[in-house]
Amino acid sequence: MATPNASQGTVRVFISHSSRDRDLVAPLTEFIRAAAGLAQDEIRCTSLKGYDLYRGRSIEASLKDEITESTVIVGLITPWSISSPWVMNELGAAWILSKCTIPILCGVESAPGPLGGAAASRATDSDDLDAVGATVRVALDISGTPPDTADERRDEVLRAAIGKQFVTSPSAAPSYRLLVRSNVRDPDNQLRWSDIADTCRQELWIWGWSCANVLSLASHDAFLRLLDRGVRLRFITLDPVAFREARSLHFGHVCKTDEERVRKDIEDGIAAIARFVRDLEPPERRKAVELRTSKSMITWSGVAVDPDTPYGLLQIESYLYGRRGDAHHDIDDRPVLLVWPSHDYYAPYRASIETLWREADPYSFE
């Protein structure tokens, strides 16, 4: 008989997943281990070295025994795992055995089959992940508070999940993606307001000429959810007075509109943000929203989700593209960059946003 991978102990947590999600299940496994204070051999995750099956037995027999033996079954539900017969069999067995089963979603809206009625957590939501850790601790009858390393491991899960959410291949989370505006309308590429509301934990930055195009029912709901969680909102727009006085600016070749329309967009955007803030109740919530107006020429707009964290994300749309008078020029050709902290582009873009903010003038909502 072959030597086992580790000293064989009792498997308490079984993590059902697709091997194609190894980039996400790796930090998830370490998070669960840290949150519950478990030994390595108390967790089974077949794709990871040190957590994989003991050698010397058939895979089928080992899986049957360990699912039966485990107290908690964690199901990582992604487009890959839903199409995996192994994962569906494992989760079906857990359901039949009435195990404590925790579905964690990434890239899908709900768990399949009988698990669809269970309370699922999202891998892109820090509160949901904290709840996963707490549920595992309760199910295993583990008292006390999790160590500080659990928060660090949770943030690694968030980073991997956020990256995976915007990539359709099974490769590891990207450091950047370069699209054009028409691509961003594709559901696989969208940075949706619901995703931002689920993911953002500290700060959300939004900047552009007017920010008017982000003020919708979906964004309004997301802003309220974020404020409820203590997230700060920061807006940057062009200063409408400075714009009116800048006689030499020509916007028509960039957005196929005239300067009067741009001026109105700026003023309408500021007014809409001001209305949103003034309607907030109780008044203390208004302190979490800031607006600044810039006298600098903003040549790119974007959204920054928790930009100073390891799982931050910038979405940047450039206004400078094409040639003036180009007959083939179209707004859908604008380049859009999604960039994560691991890429060299991230730091200079982040610094530029900070400079823009620092040099802009605070706007009073009073």
Side-chain angles (χ1 to χ4, degrees):
M1 178 181 292
T3 302
N5 294 351
S7 58
Q8 188 165 350
T10 300
V11 174
R12 306 179 73 186
V13 178
F14 186 98
I15 302 178
S16 180
H17 67 288
S18 166
S19 60
R20 290 180 167 182
D21 291 316
R22 187 180 290 107
D23 57 308
L24 178 54
V25 81
L28 177 62
T29 300
E30 295 299 335
F31 164 64
I32 291 172
R33 181 182 177 186
L38 299 175
Q40 190 175 52
D41 62 359
E42 292 181 295
I43 301 177
R44 178 65 65 235
C45 184
T46 57
S47 293
L48 303 181
K49 185 176 181 180
Y51 295 97
D52 50 344
L53 293 169
Y54 299 115
R55 295 176 175 83
R57 298 186 65 200
S58 73
I59 293 176
E60 291 85 353
S62 295
L63 290 175
K64 287 179 181 178
D65 289 348
E66 292 190 349
I67 290 173
T68 302
E69 177 183 273
S70 297
T71 302
V72 177
I73 309 295
V74 174
L76 180 56
I77 311 300
T78 71
W80 292 120
S81 64
I82 285 177
S83 61
S84 168
W86 286 96
V87 173
M88 294 300 99
N89 286 338
E90 291 163 0
L91 295 178
W95 178 70
I96 290 172
L97 294 170
S98 299
K99 294 288 183 178
C100 173
T101 304
I102 306 173
I104 301 177
L105 312 180
C106 185
V108 296
E109 293 301 318
S110 62
L115 292 180
S121 299
R122 292 195 175 276
T124 54
D125 188 302
S126 60
D127 292 338
D128 281 4
L129 291 175
D130 286 340
V132 168
T135 301
V136 172
R137 292 174 67 83
V138 169
L140 299 181
D141 196 23
I142 297 172
S143 59
T145 57
D148 293 340
T149 53
D151 288 345
E152 299 172 11
R153 299 292 178 261
R154 177 201 59 206
D155 289 350
E156 291 172 4
V157 179
L158 286 168
R159 166 73 180 91
I162 293 168
K164 198 172 186 66
Q165 190 155 302
F166 302 106
V167 62
T168 55
S169 73
S171 60
S175 60
Y176 81 99
R177 293 194 73 196
L178 182 60
L179 308 167
V180 294
R181 188 168 183 170
S182 56
N183 295 145
V184 179
R185 295 191 184 129
D186 187 310
D188 288 332
N189 296 321
Q190 284 182 348
L191 181 57
R192 298 172 297 184
W193 286 114
S194 58
D195 298 329
I196 292 175
D198 288 341
T199 303
C200 191
R201 298 173 51 230
Q202 297 181 6
E203 289 184 335
L204 177 66
W205 297 60
I206 301 170
W207 67 94
W209 289 349
S210 68
C211 296
N213 62 340
V214 304
L215 296 166
S216 63
L217 290 176
S219 64
H220 185 278
D221 179 66
F223 295 159
L224 293 177
R225 290 174 58 192
L226 291 171
L227 291 172
D228 287 342
R229 294 170 57 185
V231 173
R232 297 182 295 276
L233 306 182
R234 292 183 169 184
F235 296 90
I236 310 174
T237 74
L238 280 178
D239 184 304
V241 176
F243 177 81
R244 282 197 299 269
E245 295 174 350
R247 303 292 183 186
S248 61
L249 294 182
H250 298 283
F251 284 75
H253 65 290
V254 176
C255 59
K256 290 187 175 180
T257 190
D258 56 38
E259 276 59 45
E260 180 61 25
R261 174 64 182 275
V262 174
R263 181 194 60 77
K264 188 175 186 303
D265 277 352
I266 296 170
E267 294 176 347
D268 288 350
I270 292 173
I273 296 170
R275 282 195 301 272
F276 169 77
V277 173
R278 290 167 184 150
D279 288 343
L280 289 174
E281 294 293 345
E284 289 73 24
R285 299 175 78 194
R286 302 170 192 171
K287 297 177 181 178
V289 186
E290 295 180 80
L291 167 63
R292 294 193 178 187
T293 58
S294 174
K295 294 181 174 64
S296 301
M297 172 60 179
I298 300 177
T299 59
W300 44 298
S301 62
V303 176
V305 181
D306 288 336
D308 296 321
T309 66
Y311 51 87
L313 170 65
L314 304 181
Q315 177 176 289
I316 296 161
E317 179 175 318
S318 175
Y319 296 163
L320 302 181
Y321 64 104
R323 299 187 303 274
R324 186 173 184 179
D326 188 344
H328 301 290
H329 171 79
D330 192 275
I331 196 170
D332 281 347
D333 294 331
R334 283 184 182 176
V336 177
L337 178 69
L338 292 170
V339 61
W340 286 266
S342 57
H343 198 277
D344 291 342
Y345 291 163
Y346 193 90
Y349 272 120
R350 176 67 186 95
S352 297
I353 301 165
E354 185 62 44
T355 299
L356 192 65
W357 177 263
R358 186 173 59 250
E359 295 179 352
D361 296 323
Y363 180 90
S364 175
F365 295 115
E366 299 302 326

